Amino acid sequence: MDYTPAYIELYKRGDLQRGADSLYAILGRCSLCPRNCGADRTSGEKGRCKSGILPVVSAYHPHFGEESCLVGRHGSGTIFFTHCNLSCVFCQNYDISHLGRGEEVSFKELAGMMLSLQSRGCHNINFVTPTHMVYAIVQALRIAIPEGLCVPLVYNSGGYDSTDTVRLLEGIIDIYMPDFKYMDAKTADTLCNAPNYPEIAVSAITEMHRQVGDLMLDSGGIARKGLLIRHLVLPDNYAATDKVLAQIAQISTHSYVNIMDQYRPEYRAKQFDHMRRRITVQEFDDAVDIASACGITRLDRYR
Ligand code: SF4
């Protein structure tokens, strides 16, 4: 399929500037994500995500460990943002998400990272943990697009996204790649202090699908546009995997779903029941069987 990212047309129409203005207004009393802190990030105040206006980046490079449809031959151009609005107790990257490892950069420098990744042949720009950084992303795009940025943009989030904010990203993001972590409010409360995670994720992912539809690949098997959902299976079905998969099937049985088996007890995980061991082969196979029973056919098994 021929595909030109919609953000180029958006830029030409001046709508990217309008999007940046809308996001900046939200930052003045921040409700960019469902934490709804109310921090005035425009005057240096920081909310729960410990973030101001400028982006903080821990690393950027071609990544070959993502889904094959993102990696292709030359890699997915990942940009890892520091801090996180969800902060799971078992985060594998807790030094970045919780402890804040990273360097503050300007919008121009962020734009330069995107262009550098594209010039190295990456098939996309993959924003990792972008939720609290969407204003910086849009500002950097305004610099990168006239310099020639033209690859699809991937929004790689934890799924704890405000539906209103996702609406503002319509036409900017080509590929949404949210986690869908839990459908159990108690688990979400225990592990992320976010008991409303299930309804927030359902609403945000439904909006993402409305915007971009099911994942579309080009003739070389590279993702161009659409929704790709990740789900990490936890021990003892603690994430309520059966309910997560049933919900995904309600959004679309053609959803591209990566069921992941790599849970391991990192950071503070061993302090919590159900979280002290890896999953068994049987638990993973059960999850795959449930997905099939729900009618989900596009499975990427990450094992
Ligand atoms: S983006 Fe950060 S400051 Fe804004 S509501 Fe979310 S956690 Fe709070």
Side-chain angles (χ1 to χ4, degrees), residues 112-172:
M113 291 173 191
M114 298 179 196
L115 292 165
S116 157
L117 291 165
Q118 177 175 278
S119 71
R120 292 165 75 179
C122 292
H123 302 280
N124 46 68
I125 304 300
N126 181 345
F127 300 114
V128 183
T129 322
T131 303
H132 55 306
M133 278 299 144
V134 288
Y135 172 70
I137 290 170
V138 174
Q139 285 291 32
L141 286 172
R142 292 182 52 236
I143 301 168
I145 295 168
E147 295 291 324
L149 187 75
C150 60
V151 291
L153 303 180
V154 183
Y155 185 89
N156 179 348
S157 80
Y160 198 52
D161 293 285
S162 152
T163 301
D164 287 343
T165 302
V166 172
R167 281 196 194 103
L168 291 173
L169 299 177
E170 183 161 14
I172 298 174

Side-chain angles (χ1 to χ4, degrees), residues 144-203:
I145 295 168
E147 295 291 324
L149 187 75
C150 60
V151 291
L153 303 180
V154 183
Y155 185 89
N156 179 348
S157 80
Y160 198 52
D161 293 285
S162 152
T163 301
D164 287 343
T165 302
V166 172
R167 281 196 194 103
L168 291 173
L169 299 177
E170 183 161 14
I172 298 174
I173 299 298
D174 302 284
I175 298 166
Y176 285 103
M177 185 164 66
D179 292 328
F180 193 159
K181 289 177 182 288
Y182 329 103
M183 270 302 282
D184 185 284
K186 200 156 171 283
T187 299
D189 190 20
T190 302
L191 301 182
C192 300
N193 195 16
N196 60 353
Y197 181 95
E199 64 255 33
I200 292 286
V202 170
S203 174

Side-chain angles (χ1 to χ4, degrees), residues 7 11 79 116 127 136 157 199 212 214 275:
Y7 62 74
Y11 172 80
I79 299 178
S116 157
F127 300 114
S157 80
E199 64 255 33
V212 296
D214 296 323
M275 299 297 282

